[in-house]
Amino acid sequence: MSDETPARLHAEVLAVVFDDRDHAIALAAKAREFARLSGDRLSAAWADRIDGHLAHTGGDYAGAADAYQRAVAGFEVEGAAIEVGRTLLSGLQALIYRGEYDRAHRWAARAEAIFRENGDALRLARLASNAGNIYYRQDRLEQAKACYLRAIEGFAANGQPRDLAAALSNLAVCSISLGEFSAAMGYYERARDHCREHGLDNLAARADYNVAYLHYLRGDYREAFELYRRARELARRTGDRYHEALCDLDEAEMSLDLNLTGEGLRLAKRARDGFVALGMRYERAKALVNIAVANSQYQAFDDAEKALRAARRLFVAEKNALWPAMVDQLRAVAAFRSSRVSRARRLASSAWRTLLEAPFPGRAAHAQILLARVWLAGGDWERAIAESRDAMGYAGNAASPSLRFHADLLRGEIAELRGLWLEACDSYEAARANIEELRNRLHSEDLRISILSDKLAVYTSLAALCMESPASAEIGGVERALALVQEAKSRTLAERIAGAEACSEPEAARDLRGELNWIYRQVELNSALDLLTGANRAATLRTRAAEIERRLRGLSEPAAQPGKAAALSLSGVLEPHERFVELVEIRGRFHAFVLSPAGVSAVPLGPVATVLAVLRLVRFQIGKYRWAGRFDLLRRDTMGAVQSHLFDLHRMLIAPLDPHLDGCTTLLIAPCHGLHELPFGALHDGSQALIDRFAVSIAPSATVFALGRTRPRTAASGSLVMAVPDSANPGIEHEARLVHEALWDSELLLGKDASLEAFTERAPGRRIVHIASHGIHRGDNPFFSGVELAGARLSLFDLQQLSLNVDLVTLSACHSGAGVSIGGDERIGVLRGFLLAGVRSVLASLWEVDDESALAFMRVFYQEVGAGADWASAARRAAIERRAVQAHPYYWAPFLVFGDPGAPGGTQGERSGKYFRCR
């Protein structure tokens, strides 16, 4: 080998290190062996620099920094100044990742002097790009942007494709933090196109990761989820642990925004572990904050406090000026929610004092509102009012709708405690108006749900005043209380259905709404950055938001129409034999609004805690029965227990309604809270079950039911039966063939033919679609719940893109009726997707169903429908017949009709002969 061998090996390593790590490692071994044999200090320095590259790309940033330092020392001894500069340049990013910013600045200054002396324009551009990274990590954004622009100019004249791609991506990241959304998207798209043009597939995929974050900020969650998935898969294939952990961190934040606590916690923990392995403190601290948020949502406040304390220590070590105060604010909230009032007061006071010194009015005011709540909890309402007033005065024009909501809600609670009923009503109404402003600001359905997660109290407080206060007649009484409940309950689903027939939103409006979502998210962040840089970006963002809001008002109406759904009445929708029972939790007790064609009544029911405790016992006994299998003695033991619990639930939830159910044969129920998991038909009074008295169906809310029943629809015809059998469930095919034989004009798709593509193409416009397969319930991430088809899953995301116009979908799949309730009592699961897609009724199950029982149930159900029964009555008859054979509710109670119980006025029976074989 010649004296040029180390440099040649170094060049070869740089050429392959990102794409063929094994080859790079082999080349590094050759370089180290050459240095050993030659005993040459210069060769050893080249080998050290190669080791630095390998350590860096493998995520060992401490090892990389040490190797680069050794290489610098070796090149200095040999007088190779230009190689000293190049090595210092190579080591900057490792120092940045380790938070060694002062050392990074010193290395950058030395490298710049060397490159200028040697007239090396290319490496001056590379140095500018890396210097921008240092400034960015220190939140010195304008300096970072200037560096990136200087780098791009240099690369355009001298650089390699990889250099320009990196600089463009970095500039896009910086533009996000500066509030320049459109510019950021443009830089990312330019970087992605540049990478694809030059065959840099890995970097193009990493650009997709960054674009995913932009979609998340815009509220485009479906696109963000998909891009994160692709970016994570690529990072794993290439051993890029840093970007893999970043995907986990960002997706955890997105999941927590959507109240998907389990998924958020899992991803945040995985991100934390990844950053621990990489030795990256700042990112690890952000992951810990997400872990704390998830634990707080689970009310695991001790775990949340532990994570926040660890995050605070890391932020202090990073010399971050603001995050420790923001962490203290989160700690104060967790302490208050766990009734540790003195700790909450101390932490909130500390955070408030720090934030008060910064141009950060929103955060400081929120901390002061929390202090007001602490004083109110201690009985000092005068101090609470004073703190609230001061907070709003300090926030001034920067007060967000969220902040105004908390202040108004607090004033309402204080007025109610003092017996000032009308003043309390006015304050609660002001708080409600702030919620409406928040809802109207946000384009993403899921984000509109999440902002209601801790704000339902205003609706239930107003409803309580309407029903129970001495001023109830002045405030509006029972009718007003019901309207308020409808504004909160399944509101987003109702708005989506109400707007389904509206004209689609112009693309320009969607783009503006996406940018507006992003701006609202950035205002508070940029208030913090203004403290560090002396800029005034938050004010600029607010001005930009106001401009976009004005432009949006000039465009066409969006597809979702807030307010229209909540105002819809059930007048003229219910049949004489129907009663609609809207359940709601108000201040620790369940209440029912019983609606009939004649009017509405309000009925207090059992205490929430007691009802839910008994419901948990019912679910336990049903699960225990299934687990007991062939152990008949254990199964006999569960029968008595489950019957006792069902009797208790009937006494607390149904018996108080009896005076309002005269003449009723069909009972429609809108559950709330944990009652979505209750098999209502199995409740009994000691002599008969509810299903012996009524045909029962379930709806998300009275408004959603009314919208579904009155929704314009074209005539549906024919039926589609799809089944995906396997060796573990041979009964699936038998059931599918039985249903196919029962239906005239039906199409049967089995196995590989029952694909997602086939469903999308053939299901729309059918009267009945029957799917026999496996149901997947994702409690951690219900947006991905669904039904397994051949080769793919039919999920909520898929259904939201479809227009089905189907009268009935039968889901003969385990847990197909399951879902997760999040803010606003929105029920997220596959049932929601079918209702949104234009399905009028869904027959689904609450738990894993016995195969024999499912087959028998379906046989009777379709016989009854064929004879002219509506869906709910057919399900009732099928359940009663199955109970005669196997008495335990496990066998006969899981199937429920969701949505409309069946076409009113007998029209379904009149049409049935066209679609069903006579029996």
Side-chain angles (χ1 to χ4, degrees), residues 624-640:
K624 177 181 175 182
Y625 187 85
R626 175 178 173 270
W627 168 82
R630 292 188 298 272
F631 299 104
D632 291 336
L633 179 60
L634 288 176
R635 285 194 158 181
R636 285 197 298 273
D637 288 344
T638 68
M639 185 64 178

mmCIF file of all heavy atoms in Angstrom, residues 624-640:
data_model
loop_
_atom_site.group_PDB
_atom_site.id
_atom_site.type_symbol
_atom_site.label_atom_id
_atom_site.label_comp_id
_atom_site.label_asym_id
_atom_site.label_seq_id
_atom_site.Cartn_x
_atom_site.Cartn_y
_atom_site.Cartn_z
ATOM 1 N N LYS A 624 -64.869 -14.096 32.931
ATOM 2 C CA LYS A 624 -64.563 -15.301 33.710
ATOM 3 C C LYS A 624 -65.310 -16.506 33.152
ATOM 4 O O LYS A 624 -64.764 -17.615 33.075
ATOM 5 C CB LYS A 624 -64.948 -15.060 35.172
ATOM 6 C CG LYS A 624 -64.742 -16.253 36.096
ATOM 7 C CD LYS A 624 -65.194 -15.899 37.509
ATOM 8 C CE LYS A 624 -65.105 -17.109 38.426
ATOM 9 N NZ LYS A 624 -65.599 -16.781 39.789
ATOM 10 N N TYR A 625 -66.551 -16.288 32.721
ATOM 11 C CA TYR A 625 -67.339 -17.385 32.163
ATOM 12 C C TYR A 625 -66.697 -17.930 30.895
ATOM 13 O O TYR A 625 -66.594 -19.140 30.696
ATOM 14 C CB TYR A 625 -68.758 -16.902 31.879
ATOM 15 C CG TYR A 625 -69.695 -18.018 31.462
ATOM 16 C CD1 TYR A 625 -70.348 -18.788 32.410
ATOM 17 C CD2 TYR A 625 -69.923 -18.292 30.117
ATOM 18 C CE1 TYR A 625 -71.207 -19.811 32.030
ATOM 19 C CE2 TYR A 625 -70.783 -19.304 29.730
ATOM 20 C CZ TYR A 625 -71.420 -20.059 30.701
ATOM 21 O OH TYR A 625 -72.258 -21.075 30.330
ATOM 22 N N ARG A 626 -66.260 -17.022 30.053
ATOM 23 C CA ARG A 626 -65.585 -17.467 28.830
ATOM 24 C C ARG A 626 -64.314 -18.222 29.157
ATOM 25 O O ARG A 626 -64.012 -19.258 28.564
ATOM 26 C CB ARG A 626 -65.280 -16.259 27.945
ATOM 27 C CG ARG A 626 -64.472 -16.619 26.712
ATOM 28 C CD ARG A 626 -64.219 -15.399 25.836
ATOM 29 N NE ARG A 626 -63.321 -15.734 24.755
ATOM 30 C CZ ARG A 626 -61.997 -15.637 24.816
ATOM 31 N NH1 ARG A 626 -61.429 -15.193 25.925
ATOM 32 N NH2 ARG A 626 -61.243 -15.976 23.798
ATOM 33 N N TRP A 627 -63.557 -17.711 30.113
ATOM 34 C CA TRP A 627 -62.293 -18.355 30.490
ATOM 35 C C TRP A 627 -62.522 -19.733 31.101
ATOM 36 O O TRP A 627 -61.731 -20.652 30.911
ATOM 37 C CB TRP A 627 -61.563 -17.457 31.501
ATOM 38 C CG TRP A 627 -60.405 -18.124 32.171
ATOM 39 C CD1 TRP A 627 -59.148 -18.265 31.692
ATOM 40 C CD2 TRP A 627 -60.416 -18.758 33.450
ATOM 41 N NE1 TRP A 627 -58.358 -18.945 32.583
ATOM 42 C CE2 TRP A 627 -59.117 -19.262 33.680
ATOM 43 C CE3 TRP A 627 -61.402 -18.960 34.432
ATOM 44 C CZ2 TRP A 627 -58.773 -19.945 34.844
ATOM 45 C CZ3 TRP A 627 -61.059 -19.641 35.590
ATOM 46 C CH2 TRP A 627 -59.761 -20.121 35.778
ATOM 47 N N ALA A 628 -63.634 -19.914 31.831
ATOM 48 C CA ALA A 628 -63.869 -21.170 32.539
ATOM 49 C C ALA A 628 -64.002 -22.354 31.593
ATOM 50 O O ALA A 628 -63.795 -23.501 31.993
ATOM 51 C CB ALA A 628 -65.128 -21.041 33.394
ATOM 52 N N GLY A 629 -64.369 -22.080 30.316
ATOM 53 C CA GLY A 629 -64.405 -23.143 29.318
ATOM 54 C C GLY A 629 -65.327 -24.277 29.698
ATOM 55 O O GLY A 629 -66.512 -24.104 29.931
ATOM 56 N N ARG A 630 -64.741 -25.463 29.799
ATOM 57 C CA ARG A 630 -65.555 -26.660 30.053
ATOM 58 C C ARG A 630 -65.752 -26.931 31.540
ATOM 59 O O ARG A 630 -66.312 -27.956 31.910
ATOM 60 C CB ARG A 630 -64.889 -27.872 29.388
ATOM 61 C CG ARG A 630 -64.896 -27.821 27.873
ATOM 62 C CD ARG A 630 -64.400 -29.128 27.278
ATOM 63 N NE ARG A 630 -63.032 -29.421 27.646
ATOM 64 C CZ ARG A 630 -61.968 -28.995 26.954
ATOM 65 N NH1 ARG A 630 -62.147 -28.252 25.872
ATOM 66 N NH2 ARG A 630 -60.746 -29.312 27.332
ATOM 67 N N PHE A 631 -65.292 -26.051 32.401
ATOM 68 C CA PHE A 631 -65.437 -26.278 33.834
ATOM 69 C C PHE A 631 -66.840 -25.834 34.262
ATOM 70 O O PHE A 631 -67.078 -24.700 34.659
ATOM 71 C CB PHE A 631 -64.372 -25.518 34.625
ATOM 72 C CG PHE A 631 -62.978 -25.943 34.268
ATOM 73 C CD1 PHE A 631 -62.179 -25.145 33.461
ATOM 74 C CD2 PHE A 631 -62.463 -27.151 34.721
ATOM 75 C CE1 PHE A 631 -60.906 -25.526 33.131
ATOM 76 C CE2 PHE A 631 -61.177 -27.529 34.391
ATOM 77 C CZ PHE A 631 -60.387 -26.733 33.588
ATOM 78 N N ASP A 632 -67.797 -26.741 34.172
ATOM 79 C CA ASP A 632 -69.198 -26.392 34.359
ATOM 80 C C ASP A 632 -69.477 -25.817 35.740
ATOM 81 O O ASP A 632 -70.322 -24.931 35.894
ATOM 82 C CB ASP A 632 -70.076 -27.626 34.137
ATOM 83 C CG ASP A 632 -70.073 -28.048 32.674
ATOM 84 O OD1 ASP A 632 -69.800 -27.176 31.828
ATOM 85 O OD2 ASP A 632 -70.339 -29.219 32.395
ATOM 86 N N LEU A 633 -68.781 -26.304 36.761
ATOM 87 C CA LEU A 633 -69.026 -25.811 38.111
ATOM 88 C C LEU A 633 -68.700 -24.328 38.210
ATOM 89 O O LEU A 633 -69.468 -23.535 38.760
ATOM 90 C CB LEU A 633 -68.186 -26.598 39.123
ATOM 91 C CG LEU A 633 -68.346 -26.158 40.597
ATOM 92 C CD1 LEU A 633 -69.805 -26.331 41.028
ATOM 93 C CD2 LEU A 633 -67.420 -26.975 41.498
ATOM 94 N N LEU A 634 -67.556 -23.943 37.641
ATOM 95 C CA LEU A 634 -67.184 -22.526 37.648
ATOM 96 C C LEU A 634 -68.203 -21.709 36.885
ATOM 97 O O LEU A 634 -68.563 -20.596 37.280
ATOM 98 C CB LEU A 634 -65.792 -22.342 37.032
ATOM 99 C CG LEU A 634 -64.609 -22.821 37.870
ATOM 100 C CD1 LEU A 634 -63.318 -22.662 37.076
ATOM 101 C CD2 LEU A 634 -64.521 -22.031 39.173
ATOM 102 N N ARG A 635 -68.687 -22.244 35.775
ATOM 103 C CA ARG A 635 -69.651 -21.507 34.967
ATOM 104 C C ARG A 635 -70.971 -21.338 35.709
ATOM 105 O O ARG A 635 -71.599 -20.278 35.639
ATOM 106 C CB ARG A 635 -69.870 -22.203 33.635
ATOM 107 C CG ARG A 635 -68.701 -22.003 32.680
ATOM 108 C CD ARG A 635 -69.048 -22.387 31.269
ATOM 109 N NE ARG A 635 -68.146 -21.714 30.342
ATOM 110 C CZ ARG A 635 -68.226 -21.837 29.020
ATOM 111 N NH1 ARG A 635 -69.150 -22.604 28.485
ATOM 112 N NH2 ARG A 635 -67.385 -21.195 28.241
ATOM 113 N N ARG A 636 -71.390 -22.366 36.466
ATOM 114 C CA ARG A 636 -72.617 -22.224 37.244
ATOM 115 C C ARG A 636 -72.454 -21.150 38.316
ATOM 116 O O ARG A 636 -73.377 -20.392 38.599
ATOM 117 C CB ARG A 636 -73.000 -23.570 37.865
ATOM 118 C CG ARG A 636 -73.587 -24.555 36.872
ATOM 119 C CD ARG A 636 -74.305 -25.678 37.588
ATOM 120 N NE ARG A 636 -73.394 -26.457 38.423
ATOM 121 C CZ ARG A 636 -72.693 -27.489 37.974
ATOM 122 N NH1 ARG A 636 -72.796 -27.860 36.708
ATOM 123 N NH2 ARG A 636 -71.906 -28.156 38.788
ATOM 124 N N ASP A 637 -71.257 -21.061 38.881
ATOM 125 C CA ASP A 637 -71.004 -20.044 39.902
ATOM 126 C C ASP A 637 -71.137 -18.638 39.334
ATOM 127 O O ASP A 637 -71.617 -17.727 40.009
ATOM 128 C CB ASP A 637 -69.600 -20.224 40.487
ATOM 129 C CG ASP A 637 -69.515 -21.451 41.392
ATOM 130 O OD1 ASP A 637 -70.586 -21.948 41.781
ATOM 131 O OD2 ASP A 637 -68.392 -21.883 41.684
ATOM 132 N N THR A 638 -70.713 -18.432 38.095
ATOM 133 C CA THR A 638 -70.770 -17.082 37.527
ATOM 134 C C THR A 638 -72.197 -16.666 37.208
ATOM 135 O O THR A 638 -72.493 -15.475 37.194
ATOM 136 C CB THR A 638 -69.931 -16.992 36.242
ATOM 137 O OG1 THR A 638 -70.535 -17.775 35.212
ATOM 138 C CG2 THR A 638 -68.503 -17.441 36.476
ATOM 139 N N MET A 639 -73.090 -17.620 36.956
ATOM 140 C CA MET A 639 -74.451 -17.270 36.545
ATOM 141 C C MET A 639 -75.168 -16.466 37.613
ATOM 142 O O MET A 639 -75.764 -15.417 37.354
ATOM 143 C CB MET A 639 -75.233 -18.547 36.217
ATOM 144 C CG MET A 639 -76.616 -18.294 35.656
ATOM 145 S SD MET A 639 -76.556 -17.446 34.057
ATOM 146 C CE MET A 639 -78.297 -17.373 33.664
ATOM 147 N N GLY A 640 -75.110 -16.939 38.857
ATOM 148 C CA GLY A 640 -75.773 -16.227 39.935
ATOM 149 C C GLY A 640 -75.189 -14.851 40.166
ATOM 150 O O GLY A 640 -75.924 -13.875 40.393
#
